[in-house]
Amino acid sequence: MARDYSGSPKHHQLESKRRRLTWILGVSGLCILFYILGAWQNTGPTSTNRSEVYTKDGCDVRSPATGETRTTLSSSSSLSSSSISLDFDSHHHVEIKNSGGSQKIPPCDMSYGEYTPCQDPVRARKFDRNMLKYRERHCPTKEELLLCMIPAPPKYKNPFKWPQSRDYAWYDNIPHKELSIEKAVQNWIQVEGDRFRFPGGGTMFPRGADAYIDDINELIPLTGGTIRTAIDTGCGVASWGAYLLKRDILAMSFAPRDTHEAQVQFALERGVPAMIGIMASQRLPYPARAFDMAHCSRCLIPWDKYDGMYLIEVDRVLRPGGYWILSGPPIRWKKHWRGWERTQEDLKQEQDAIEDVAKRLCWRKVTEKNDLAVWQKPINHIECARRKKVDKTPHICKSDNADTAWYRSMETCITPLPEVSSSDEVAGGALEKWPERAYAVPPRISSGSIPGITVEKFQEDNELWKDRVTHYKHIISSLVQGRYRNVMDMNAYLGGFAAALLKYPVWVMNVVPANSDHDTLGVIYERGFIGTYQDWCEAFSTYPRTYDLIHASSLFSIYQDRCDITYILLEMDRILRPEGTVIFRDTVEVLVKIKSITDGMKWNSQIMDHESGPFNPEKILVAVKNLNENSRLMPLLIESALRLTKDGDKIKSNAVRALGNLSRFFHCTTLSGVHEKQVDCMGLPLTTNSTEVFRSSIQSEGSQRSVSNSYQPASLGDPRWLERMVQAFLSCVTTGNVKVQWNVCHALCNLFLNETLRLQDMDWIQAASALAVPASIFDYGRSFSDVVQGLVHIIENLGSDQMSTPSSFKYRVALENQLTSTMLHVLSLALSTDHQPMKDFLVKKASFLEEWFKVLCSSLEEASTQPVADTNSIGKQKREMISKAIRSLIKVYQGRNHHTVTQRFERLVDSIV
């Protein structure tokens, strides 16, 4: 039977639809009800930032001293009214030891300008003089710690940039002439006006360190990459280490703070690795098997005394197969004994004793030639262990942690090498040659000697630091501009930070805290870097103002419960150069505490997001140390004056006057020396657009907020100040009234009185050098002919006696050099021009140009006879420039059919070649 179907819904279907509609309406009603209820409960003043929300919840943070609510960190860039400031203030506190808080920390008395807390000569007098123990580290007690900042000398200037710093240092930075007098004959250091010059001489290398190192290279291979790390005991001003750098050898130089005043300070001012240290009764603060080469050049260490203990310590820090080089007493005593004022018997006895100790250490004497003697440590102890069955002293130490070196006494036993399976195997593992060594897996890791650190972790750490340094380049633009030379990593771990900086002209002092869970300093040395152990509750073994950049990753999390972090920050301030930079990496809680203290030290600082983004709990704090008390005020005054020079004449007149007064006193560092690159007044390339100062902008995208960071040391202000000042003066003198113009003249007088504005060294500040910038004739446009004619006329007039000519200019020599360089450049382009009047002009001036070139050629001959460093390369460059310019003129004269003139200039070319 067929089913009836009327097309209408059944009763149970209608009921189901009604129930669903009831549920929907019910839930919607409840949502609306709760929304209205919530809105009613939250009526009142609207919170516009996160700190107000915290206040409502009872999480506001009050200062223990004042009870006032602390304000949140504000962004240095302006934000819209709807944006939210990134609040880094902590709202749940972890106690961190600090005595500085946010209080202002005063400067110390000027008498502490060269204070070295753990090598203080006054405190040292209290200790035992036996074995020179009084010159070891003796740090102040807690009651003796200084709660003040070590001041810089009144006329302090930023050091020369590398590589000029190898040869020059400012006298005002280290005002000590003692070494220049005491070591005058040995060419350690010389005073030349307002600077020191380092000729590269030494007690045993009067011909210079370069020639001395060449002599060593004839005895052992220095250039193949096998030798990378070296130690110089009793280094003087570290000229040996300075000249090893160009051979890719990194030397750790050390010397005590003794009667040779400031020798380590000179070394670091030159940009050469060095520490205050001495071989006395304690181990050197380096791990076993660290150095490929050790050196002593008349270091006056009694190697034969105390059962050979000092030579045993050298053996500990030398790598298997490493070399020990000795020059000076007693080597070659038969020739030098009279000059050393010792008897032949005494010197012979000393050399015999040294030979005996070296033999009992199982060393092999490689050679003795002229003033040099070289020994080599064995690559393993298989043969040595056999010898010790007969010759029992010194014996091989048992159950000794060879790397332990922090406040550990020296011992008179041989540090054992890791076991090997054959006599030709290198104990501890062979190393790759440099530069592959930097990223090769260190033997200490591949062998599993360090618990918890695997090959995978090592490789991950390398990639991590590559990313981090890439990020640092974006937030600290001066990192890639050669501003930094001496760098310290206060918690170096595996040396990844140093490895990531290899492409830059820096060296890194890798510090491993003495209380670290993992002793990784041996790994760092196996990678071809240098470093030391250090307990940061004590002062570092260096002079004040010796590092440009300090890096502290997770350091304060280690020390926050061990000692007062204020004193760690004051120690960082002591060793950091004025306008130097510090990078902290830690948790927000710790960084906020650090920032509160550095604010009291008048550092400019800013907390930034982690490179991976704002959700990472680790943050970055970048800080810069100010030059002096007024360094924060100076940028504000200069910026205000520059802005007001664009106002009306009445305001402009006073603004120009004020700007002139400021221009006399602002700190302008022009790195002088031979063949400087184009630099601005802050020592940065003029072509670099580095006008950024601290800024942090909050970017909102949906519900995510991140910080976009870019950092330029704020204490430096705008690095184009000099350029902007001159532009302002030019604008005012052309647009202002008579009073404005008069004040511009007054302002320029003040600018030239600025002691740090060295006109004679600022080759690029004058127009003559600017004319040499265009690389082709087309870049000069229609002005090329005018430029050539103008330069010829100026050079002709340089010999004039008229007061109105440049011959009366105070820096005539510098100007003449600039004009010569520019003239050679434009003449070398002359062959490319089709401008006939200019060619006629060159023909007309042929006689003058011929005589001028003859003078230049004769100066080349004179320069070639002078023993100046890099003379060959400089002379070759000048010869090429002169030859190129003459050949260009020959083409011009040939084209005009002046054969006689052509022949004369061809003879000039032949004389140069």
Side-chain angles (χ1 to χ4, degrees):
M1 182 176 176
R3 295 177 61 183
D4 293 333
Y5 183 68
S6 61
S8 60
K10 302 237 175 134
H11 177 73
H12 69 281
Q13 292 175 331
L14 293 174
E15 282 296 321
S16 176
K17 289 183 179 180
R18 287 194 197 98
R19 283 197 296 270
R20 282 199 298 271
L21 183 60
T22 302
W23 276 107
I24 292 171
L25 292 173
V27 171
S28 300
L30 287 173
C31 289
I32 294 170
L33 176 64
F34 284 119
Y35 177 81
I36 295 172
L37 181 62
W40 172 75
Q41 287 178 336
N42 285 283
T43 54
T46 305
S47 296
T48 58
N49 62 46
R50 200 173 293 183
S51 62
E52 292 179 8
V53 176
Y54 288 136
T55 303
K56 288 181 181 179
D57 292 338
C59 290
D60 54 326
V61 183
R62 299 182 178 274
S63 168
T66 64
E68 295 177 357
T69 303
R70 184 185 304 151
T71 58
T72 60
L73 290 173
S74 60
S75 173
S76 58
S77 59
S78 58
L79 307 176
S80 64
S81 58
S82 61
S83 66
I84 298 177
S85 297
L86 189 62
D87 175 27
F88 282 120
D89 258 339
S90 55
H91 305 285
H92 305 282
H93 288 288
V94 175
E95 287 298 321
I96 298 176
K97 294 182 181 179
N98 75 89
S99 57
S102 57
Q103 71 186 44
K104 179 180 177 181
I105 299 177
C108 303
D109 186 80
M110 284 301 298
S111 61
Y112 288 97
E114 294 181 355
Y115 182 53
T116 52
C118 294
Q119 286 91 6
D120 181 31
V122 177
R123 186 183 301 105
R125 295 174 193 151
K126 304 175 184 177
F127 296 93
D128 186 5
R129 288 181 171 266
N130 181 41
M131 297 178 66
L132 300 179
K133 292 178 183 179
Y134 73 107
R135 284 183 177 157
E136 293 181 321
R137 287 176 57 89
H138 301 289
C139 299
T141 63
K142 186 176 181 180
E143 293 72 24
E144 294 175 311
L145 294 173
L146 299 178
L147 191 61
C148 57
M149 297 180 293
I150 303 300
K155 295 183 179 181
Y156 181 87
K157 306 171 187 176
N158 283 338
F160 290 85
K161 289 173 72 174
W162 183 265
Q164 282 75 26
S165 64
R166 187 194 71 178
D167 303 323
Y168 294 97
W170 296 116
Y171 173 80
D172 288 331
N173 291 5
I174 314 176
H176 292 287
K177 294 183 179 180
E178 295 88 347
L179 282 177
S180 66
I181 299 169
E182 183 180 347
K183 301 293 183 180
V185 180
Q186 299 168 8
N187 274 332
W188 278 30
I189 183 173
Q190 296 173 357
V191 180
E192 294 184 353
D194 60 354
R195 67 194 68 184
F196 291 106
R197 188 170 73 87
F198 302 92
T203 307
M204 293 308 300
F205 37 94
R207 294 184 297 127
D210 226 10
Y212 176 76
I213 293 170
D214 287 338
D215 292 341
I216 296 174
N217 190 48
E218 293 178 3
L219 307 179
I220 59 175
L222 295 181
T223 56
T226 304
I227 296 176
R228 165 62 180 174
T229 56
I231 183 170
D232 191 8
T233 55
C235 63
V237 294
S239 288
W240 188 71
Y243 282 85
L244 279 174
L245 287 168
K246 69 179 184 180
R247 295 166 171 85
D248 278 336
I249 297 176
L250 197 57
M252 173 70 81
S253 302
F254 74 85
R257 180 165 185 175
D258 57 12
T259 54
H260 294 164
E261 189 67 43
Q263 51 188 330
V264 168
Q265 191 175 10
F266 278 121
L268 288 159
E269 190 75 6
R270 300 175 69 183
V272 180
M275 289 179 63
I276 301 174
I278 190 170
M279 296 194 79
S281 67
Q282 296 174 350
R283 283 182 172 180
L284 299 174
Y286 316 119
R289 311 193 313 275
F291 299 100
D292 304 310
M293 176 171 60
H295 174 255
C296 163
S297 175
R298 201 173 184 179
C299 57
L300 304 180
I301 295 173
W303 300 112
D304 58 322
K305 304 298 182 183
Y306 310 113
D307 298 322
M309 185 171 66
Y310 296 140
L311 215 50
I312 291 172
E313 175 62 5
V314 171
D315 179 82
R316 183 185 73 86
V317 299
L318 265 185
R319 279 197 52 75
Y323 298 96
W324 182 56
I325 302 166
L326 177 63
S327 66
I331 304 302
R332 210 180 185 188
W333 56 266
K334 293 180 181 180
K335 177 182 178 181
H336 298 297
W337 66 276
R338 288 188 180 87
W340 292 336
E341 297 179 352
R342 292 174 61 183
T343 64
Q344 295 185 62
E345 293 75 15
D346 180 34
L347 288 164
K348 182 180 185 303
Q349 184 180 0
E350 181 182 350
Q351 178 157 356
D352 289 343
I354 291 174
E355 300 269 12
D356 181 61
V357 174
K359 185 177 180 180
R360 288 188 284 115
L361 288 173
C362 306
W363 290 5
R364 176 179 69 89
K365 189 170 185 178
V366 177
T367 186
E368 181 175 337
K369 183 179 179 181
N370 297 328
D371 293 336
L372 290 165
V374 181
W375 286 264
Q376 186 177 26
K377 179 179 176 177
I379 61 172
N380 57 57
H381 273 169
I382 290 181
E383 180 61 29
C384 193
R386 294 192 190 121
R387 288 190 197 177
K388 289 303 161 186
K389 293 178 181 178
V390 179
D391 184 8
K392 299 185 180 297
T393 58
H395 65 278
I396 296 177
C397 305
K398 296 181 180 179
S399 64
D400 176 42
N401 183 354
D403 290 343
T404 304
W406 189 247
Y407 289 127
R408 174 74 178 269
S409 296
M410 290 185 190
E411 298 179 5
T412 54
C413 58
I414 302 174
T415 300
L417 291 175
E419 294 184 1
V420 294
S421 56
S422 64
S423 59
D424 58 351
E425 183 181 349
V426 178
L431 299 176
E432 296 286 343
K433 292 185 177 181
W434 184 263
E436 290 78 11
R437 178 173 168 178
Y439 282 101
V441 178
R444 275 176 165 89
I445 292 179
S446 59
S447 64
S449 301
I450 305 178
I453 299 180
T454 62
V455 174
E456 291 74 20
K457 283 188 176 181
F458 171 75
Q459 293 170 341
E460 289 172 4
D461 188 72
N462 285 334
E463 295 303 316
L464 175 70
W465 282 107
K466 286 180 182 177
D467 293 341
R468 288 180 171 180
V469 170
T470 299
H471 182 63
Y472 291 162
K473 289 192 302 183
H474 294 124
I475 63 176
I476 308 175
S477 60
S478 50
L479 181 63
V480 298
Q481 294 165 355
R483 182 173 183 79
Y484 307 117
R485 172 62 184 168
N486 302 355
V487 179
M488 175 180 285
D489 191 354
M490 297 178 70
N491 187 19
Y493 189 44
L494 300 176
F497 177 61
L501 289 176
L502 275 176
K503 64 179 76 172
Y504 305 114
V506 304
W507 65 272
V508 181
M509 179 67 78
N510 294 279
V511 180
V512 172
N515 58 317
S516 294
D517 294 334
H518 300 292
D519 182 356
T520 55
L521 191 55
V523 169
I524 290 169
Y525 274 96
E526 287 181 340
R527 299 187 68 175
F529 305 121
I530 59 173
T532 183
Y533 294 110
Q534 171 67 25
D535 182 352
W536 285 113
C537 290
E538 299 178 0
F540 192 74
S541 295
T542 190
Y543 282 84
R545 302 172 299 280
T546 46
Y547 286 87
D548 304 293
L549 175 66
I550 298 178
H551 186 266
S553 177
S554 303
L555 179 79
F556 289 86
S557 292
I558 299 173
Y559 281 95
Q560 63 183 1
D561 297 324
R562 295 190 63 241
C563 51
D564 192 333
I565 67 169
T566 301
Y567 291 106
I568 300 179
L569 290 167
L570 283 172
E571 174 61 9
M572 295 171 72
D573 180 86
R574 184 184 73 89
I575 66 179
L576 186 66
R577 285 173 174 162
E579 299 178 350
T581 304
V582 182
I583 304 173
F584 301 90
R585 301 183 71 96
D586 226 306
T587 62
V588 173
E589 179 81 7
V590 173
L591 292 184
V592 170
K593 292 290 185 184
I594 293 172
K595 190 177 188 305
S596 69
I597 300 170
T598 58
D599 286 347
M601 295 160 59
K602 291 186 169 54
W603 287 11
N604 291 323
S605 60
Q606 177 145 345
I607 298 177
M608 304 178 179
D609 277 328
H610 190 274
E611 58 268 8
S612 64
F615 299 112
N616 194 309
E618 183 181 76
K619 302 297 177 185
I620 301 170
L621 172 63
V622 181
V624 63
K625 174 181 175 179
N626 287 325
L627 180 64
N628 53 47
E629 289 281 332
N630 299 322
S631 56
R632 285 187 172 186
L633 184 60
M634 185 66 78
L636 298 176
L637 292 174
I638 292 179
E639 292 293 344
S640 299
L642 286 168
R643 186 175 65 254
L644 292 174
T645 57
K646 300 175 182 178
D647 212 311
D649 281 349
K650 188 172 182 180
I651 302 297
K652 186 184 296 184
S653 174
N654 293 322
V656 168
R657 187 98 174 185
L659 190 60
N661 291 331
L662 292 170
S663 70
R664 180 174 179 178
F665 298 105
F666 85 104
H667 187 70
C668 178
T669 303
T670 56
L671 301 180
S672 62
V674 184
H675 303 289
E676 275 294 335
K677 293 183 178 180
Q678 179 182 3
V679 295
D680 69 358
C681 157
M682 303 314 298
L684 303 177
L686 280 175
T687 53
T688 304
N689 181 19
S690 54
T691 59
E692 296 178 5
V693 295
F694 272 141
R695 74 170 186 264
S696 176
S697 58
I698 307 298
Q699 299 175 337
S700 299
E701 183 178 348
S703 61
Q704 297 184 7
R705 297 181 181 90
S706 64
V707 182
S708 175
N709 305 306
S710 182
Y711 173 83
Q712 183 76 13
S715 67
L716 305 184
D718 189 336
R720 294 185 301 131
W721 270 345
L722 182 62
E723 178 187 345
R724 294 173 66 202
M725 285 179 181
V726 174
Q727 287 175 348
F729 294 151
L730 289 174
S731 174
C732 291
V733 82
T734 55
T735 61
N737 58 24
V738 176
K739 186 175 181 181
V740 172
Q741 294 173 358
W742 170 256
N743 283 347
V744 168
C745 295
H746 185 274
L748 286 171
C749 290
N750 274 324
L751 178 61
F752 294 136
L753 288 173
N754 189 320
E755 292 184 357
T756 63
L757 182 66
R758 301 183 54 79
L759 291 178
Q760 70 271 35
D761 297 326
M762 299 181 67
D763 297 345
W764 290 91
I765 208 172
Q766 302 183 43
S769 292
L771 291 174
V773 174
S776 71
I777 194 171
F778 304 105
D779 295 330
Y780 289 91
R782 299 177 180 178
S783 302
F784 183 72
S785 177
D786 295 332
V787 169
V788 174
Q789 294 181 47
L791 286 169
V792 171
H793 286 307
I794 290 172
I795 291 175
E796 279 185 302
N797 288 331
L798 278 176
S800 171
D801 293 330
Q802 299 177 24
M803 292 300 293
S804 59
T805 64
S807 62
S808 61
F809 185 54
K810 183 178 179 181
Y811 304 118
R812 179 188 168 185
V813 174
L815 177 61
E816 190 171 358
N817 289 336
Q818 294 165 1
L819 288 170
T820 300
S821 177
T822 305
M823 184 71 165
L824 292 173
H825 175 69
V826 297
L827 288 179
S828 68
L829 302 175
L831 62 91
S832 304
T833 183
D834 294 327
H835 193 258
Q836 299 306 320
M838 196 209 74
K839 291 184 177 182
D840 292 337
F841 173 79
L842 292 175
V843 172
K844 180 181 176 182
K845 294 293 182 181
S847 297
F848 164 73
L849 291 173
E850 183 183 3
E851 292 302 317
W852 183 67
F853 276 115
K854 286 180 179 178
V855 173
L856 291 181
C857 293
S858 64
S859 68
L860 280 179
E861 295 175 4
E862 293 175 4
S864 63
T865 62
Q866 297 177 2
V868 181
D870 300 328
T871 294
N872 292 335
S873 60
I874 296 171
K876 183 180 179 182
Q877 184 181 5
K878 287 182 177 179
R879 187 172 281 107
E880 290 175 353
M881 291 175 64
I882 295 172
S883 178
K884 186 177 180 182
I886 295 175
R887 287 193 172 95
S888 175
L889 287 175
I890 289 173
K891 297 284 187 182
V892 172
Y893 296 143
Q894 286 176 340
R896 308 297 287 177
N897 296 319
H898 287 274
H899 301 297
T900 305
V901 177
T902 300
Q903 290 173 1
R904 296 206 308 265
F905 276 80
E906 285 176 344
R907 284 195 292 271
L908 277 175
V909 173
D910 293 339
S911 69
I912 295 174
V913 176

